[in-house]
Short mmCIF file of all heavy atoms in Angstrom, two decimals:
data_model
loop_
_atom_site.label_atom_id
_atom_site.label_comp_id
_atom_site.label_asym_id
_atom_site.label_seq_id
_atom_site.Cartn_x
_atom_site.Cartn_y
_atom_site.Cartn_z
N VAL A 16 -19.11 89.70 154.75
CA VAL A 16 -18.97 91.12 155.07
C VAL A 16 -17.59 91.61 154.65
O VAL A 16 -17.46 92.70 154.07
CB VAL A 16 -19.22 91.36 156.58
CG1 VAL A 16 -18.74 92.73 157.01
CG2 VAL A 16 -20.67 91.19 156.91
N VAL A 17 -16.57 90.81 154.90
CA VAL A 17 -15.21 91.20 154.51
C VAL A 17 -15.10 91.33 153.00
O VAL A 17 -14.59 92.34 152.48
CB VAL A 17 -14.17 90.18 155.05
CG1 VAL A 17 -12.81 90.42 154.44
CG2 VAL A 17 -14.10 90.26 156.55
N PHE A 18 -15.58 90.33 152.27
CA PHE A 18 -15.43 90.38 150.81
C PHE A 18 -16.29 91.48 150.17
O PHE A 18 -15.85 92.14 149.23
CB PHE A 18 -15.77 89.02 150.18
CG PHE A 18 -14.68 88.02 150.36
CD1 PHE A 18 -14.98 86.73 150.77
CD2 PHE A 18 -13.36 88.34 150.12
CE1 PHE A 18 -13.98 85.79 150.94
CE2 PHE A 18 -12.35 87.41 150.29
CZ PHE A 18 -12.66 86.14 150.70
N SER A 19 -17.49 91.68 150.68
CA SER A 19 -18.32 92.74 150.10
C SER A 19 -17.75 94.12 150.39
O SER A 19 -17.81 95.01 149.54
CB SER A 19 -19.75 92.63 150.61
OG SER A 19 -19.80 92.85 151.99
N SER A 20 -17.18 94.32 151.56
CA SER A 20 -16.57 95.62 151.84
C SER A 20 -15.27 95.81 151.07
O SER A 20 -14.95 96.94 150.69
CB SER A 20 -16.36 95.80 153.33
OG SER A 20 -15.54 94.78 153.84
N LEU A 21 -14.54 94.75 150.79
CA LEU A 21 -13.35 94.88 149.95
C LEU A 21 -13.72 95.23 148.51
O LEU A 21 -13.04 96.03 147.86
CB LEU A 21 -12.52 93.60 149.98
CG LEU A 21 -11.69 93.38 151.24
CD1 LEU A 21 -11.00 92.02 151.19
CD2 LEU A 21 -10.69 94.48 151.43
N VAL A 22 -14.81 94.66 148.02
CA VAL A 22 -15.28 95.03 146.67
C VAL A 22 -15.70 96.48 146.65
O VAL A 22 -15.37 97.24 145.73
CB VAL A 22 -16.43 94.09 146.23
CG1 VAL A 22 -17.14 94.63 145.01
CG2 VAL A 22 -15.91 92.70 145.95
N GLY A 23 -16.41 96.92 147.68
CA GLY A 23 -16.80 98.32 147.77
C GLY A 23 -15.60 99.24 147.89
O GLY A 23 -15.59 100.35 147.35
N LEU A 24 -14.57 98.77 148.57
CA LEU A 24 -13.34 99.57 148.70
C LEU A 24 -12.64 99.74 147.37
O LEU A 24 -12.15 100.83 147.04
CB LEU A 24 -12.40 98.89 149.71
CG LEU A 24 -11.07 99.56 149.99
CD1 LEU A 24 -11.30 100.88 150.70
CD2 LEU A 24 -10.21 98.65 150.82
N PHE A 25 -12.61 98.69 146.56
CA PHE A 25 -11.97 98.79 145.26
C PHE A 25 -12.79 99.60 144.27
O PHE A 25 -12.23 100.21 143.35
CB PHE A 25 -11.68 97.40 144.68
CG PHE A 25 -10.60 96.68 145.40
CD1 PHE A 25 -10.78 95.37 145.80
CD2 PHE A 25 -9.40 97.30 145.69
CE1 PHE A 25 -9.78 94.69 146.47
CE2 PHE A 25 -8.40 96.63 146.37
CZ PHE A 25 -8.58 95.32 146.76
N LEU A 26 -14.10 99.64 144.47
CA LEU A 26 -14.96 100.41 143.56
C LEU A 26 -15.10 101.87 143.96
O LEU A 26 -15.51 102.68 143.15
CB LEU A 26 -16.33 99.76 143.47
CG LEU A 26 -16.39 98.38 142.83
CD1 LEU A 26 -17.80 97.85 142.87
CD2 LEU A 26 -15.88 98.43 141.40
N GLU A 27 -14.76 102.21 145.19
CA GLU A 27 -14.94 103.58 145.67
C GLU A 27 -13.85 104.48 145.12
O GLU A 27 -12.67 104.24 145.31
CB GLU A 27 -14.91 103.61 147.20
CG GLU A 27 -14.99 104.98 147.80
CD GLU A 27 -16.26 105.71 147.45
OE1 GLU A 27 -17.32 105.07 147.37
OE2 GLU A 27 -16.18 106.92 147.24
N ARG A 28 -14.25 105.51 144.41
CA ARG A 28 -13.32 106.48 143.85
C ARG A 28 -13.63 107.89 144.32
O ARG A 28 -13.06 108.83 143.82
CB ARG A 28 -13.37 106.45 142.32
CG ARG A 28 -13.03 105.13 141.72
CD ARG A 28 -11.56 104.93 141.69
NE ARG A 28 -11.27 103.70 140.98
CZ ARG A 28 -10.31 102.89 141.32
NH1 ARG A 28 -9.54 103.18 142.33
NH2 ARG A 28 -10.11 101.79 140.64
N GLY A 29 -14.57 108.04 145.26
CA GLY A 29 -15.04 109.36 145.65
C GLY A 29 -14.36 109.91 146.89
O GLY A 29 -13.27 110.46 146.83
N HIS A 30 -15.01 109.73 148.01
CA HIS A 30 -14.59 110.39 149.24
C HIS A 30 -13.71 109.49 150.09
O HIS A 30 -13.89 108.28 150.14
CB HIS A 30 -15.81 110.80 150.05
CG HIS A 30 -16.67 111.80 149.35
ND1 HIS A 30 -16.36 113.13 149.29
CD2 HIS A 30 -17.81 111.66 148.67
CE1 HIS A 30 -17.28 113.77 148.60
NE2 HIS A 30 -18.18 112.89 148.20
N LEU A 31 -12.79 110.11 150.79
CA LEU A 31 -11.89 109.37 151.68
C LEU A 31 -12.63 108.83 152.89
O LEU A 31 -12.26 107.79 153.43
CB LEU A 31 -10.73 110.27 152.11
CG LEU A 31 -9.59 109.63 152.85
CD1 LEU A 31 -8.91 108.60 151.97
CD2 LEU A 31 -8.60 110.66 153.31
N LEU A 32 -13.68 109.52 153.31
CA LEU A 32 -14.46 109.03 154.45
C LEU A 32 -15.11 107.69 154.14
O LEU A 32 -15.17 106.81 155.00
CB LEU A 32 -15.53 110.06 154.84
CG LEU A 32 -16.38 109.72 156.04
CD1 LEU A 32 -15.50 109.60 157.28
CD2 LEU A 32 -17.44 110.75 156.25
N MET A 33 -15.57 107.50 152.91
CA MET A 33 -16.14 106.20 152.52
C MET A 33 -15.09 105.10 152.54
O MET A 33 -15.37 103.96 152.92
CB MET A 33 -16.78 106.30 151.14
CG MET A 33 -18.06 107.10 151.12
SD MET A 33 -19.32 106.43 152.21
CE MET A 33 -19.63 104.86 151.46
N VAL A 34 -13.88 105.43 152.14
CA VAL A 34 -12.78 104.46 152.18
C VAL A 34 -12.51 104.05 153.62
O VAL A 34 -12.33 102.86 153.92
CB VAL A 34 -11.52 105.04 151.50
CG1 VAL A 34 -10.32 104.14 151.72
CG2 VAL A 34 -11.76 105.25 150.02
N LEU A 35 -12.50 105.02 154.54
CA LEU A 35 -12.28 104.70 155.95
C LEU A 35 -13.42 103.85 156.52
O LEU A 35 -13.18 102.95 157.32
CB LEU A 35 -12.13 105.99 156.75
CG LEU A 35 -10.86 106.79 156.47
CD1 LEU A 35 -10.91 108.11 157.23
CD2 LEU A 35 -9.63 106.01 156.83
N LEU A 36 -14.64 104.12 156.09
CA LEU A 36 -15.77 103.30 156.53
C LEU A 36 -15.68 101.87 156.01
O LEU A 36 -16.02 100.91 156.73
CB LEU A 36 -17.08 103.93 156.11
CG LEU A 36 -17.52 105.15 156.91
CD1 LEU A 36 -18.74 105.78 156.29
CD2 LEU A 36 -17.78 104.77 158.34
N PHE A 37 -15.19 101.71 154.79
CA PHE A 37 -14.99 100.36 154.27
C PHE A 37 -13.90 99.62 155.03
O PHE A 37 -14.00 98.42 155.29
CB PHE A 37 -14.67 100.38 152.78
CG PHE A 37 -15.87 100.57 151.90
CD1 PHE A 37 -15.91 101.57 150.96
CD2 PHE A 37 -16.97 99.74 152.01
CE1 PHE A 37 -17.01 101.74 150.14
CE2 PHE A 37 -18.08 99.90 151.21
CZ PHE A 37 -18.10 100.90 150.28
N PHE A 38 -12.84 100.34 155.43
CA PHE A 38 -11.80 99.71 156.25
C PHE A 38 -12.36 99.25 157.59
O PHE A 38 -12.03 98.16 158.07
CB PHE A 38 -10.63 100.67 156.50
CG PHE A 38 -9.67 100.76 155.36
CD1 PHE A 38 -9.09 101.98 155.03
CD2 PHE A 38 -9.30 99.65 154.63
CE1 PHE A 38 -8.20 102.08 153.99
CE2 PHE A 38 -8.41 99.74 153.59
CZ PHE A 38 -7.86 100.95 153.28
N GLU A 39 -13.22 100.06 158.19
CA GLU A 39 -13.82 99.67 159.46
C GLU A 39 -14.77 98.48 159.29
O GLU A 39 -14.88 97.63 160.16
CB GLU A 39 -14.56 100.85 160.08
CG GLU A 39 -13.63 101.91 160.60
CD GLU A 39 -12.66 101.39 161.62
OE1 GLU A 39 -13.07 100.66 162.54
OE2 GLU A 39 -11.47 101.72 161.50
N THR A 40 -15.45 98.40 158.16
CA THR A 40 -16.32 97.26 157.90
C THR A 40 -15.51 95.98 157.72
O THR A 40 -15.93 94.91 158.17
CB THR A 40 -17.18 97.53 156.66
OG1 THR A 40 -17.82 98.79 156.80
CG2 THR A 40 -18.23 96.47 156.48
N VAL A 41 -14.36 96.09 157.08
CA VAL A 41 -13.47 94.93 156.95
C VAL A 41 -13.03 94.45 158.33
O VAL A 41 -13.05 93.25 158.62
CB VAL A 41 -12.24 95.27 156.07
CG1 VAL A 41 -11.17 94.21 156.19
CG2 VAL A 41 -12.64 95.44 154.63
N MET A 42 -12.67 95.38 159.20
CA MET A 42 -12.26 95.00 160.56
C MET A 42 -13.41 94.37 161.34
O MET A 42 -13.21 93.42 162.10
CB MET A 42 -11.73 96.22 161.31
CG MET A 42 -10.38 96.64 160.88
SD MET A 42 -9.21 95.32 161.26
CE MET A 42 -7.71 96.15 160.92
N LEU A 43 -14.63 94.88 161.14
CA LEU A 43 -15.79 94.32 161.81
C LEU A 43 -16.06 92.89 161.34
O LEU A 43 -16.34 91.99 162.15
CB LEU A 43 -17.02 95.19 161.57
CG LEU A 43 -18.32 94.72 162.20
CD1 LEU A 43 -18.23 94.84 163.71
CD2 LEU A 43 -19.47 95.51 161.66
N GLY A 44 -15.95 92.65 160.04
CA GLY A 44 -16.14 91.30 159.52
C GLY A 44 -15.06 90.34 160.00
O GLY A 44 -15.35 89.19 160.34
N LEU A 45 -13.81 90.81 160.03
CA LEU A 45 -12.73 89.96 160.56
C LEU A 45 -12.93 89.65 162.03
O LEU A 45 -12.67 88.53 162.48
CB LEU A 45 -11.38 90.63 160.34
CG LEU A 45 -10.85 90.64 158.92
CD1 LEU A 45 -9.56 91.44 158.86
CD2 LEU A 45 -10.61 89.23 158.43
#
Side-chain angles (χ1 to χ4, degrees):
V16 165
V17 169
F18 284 134
S19 64
S20 58
L21 284 176
V22 167
L24 180 67
F25 289 132
L26 293 177
E27 176 61 37
R28 300 280 186 217
H30 297 281
L31 189 63
L32 183 62
M33 289 301 296
V34 171
L35 292 174
L36 285 173
F37 281 127
F38 280 142
E39 289 302 314
T40 309
V41 167
M42 285 296 189
L43 179 69
L45 286 175

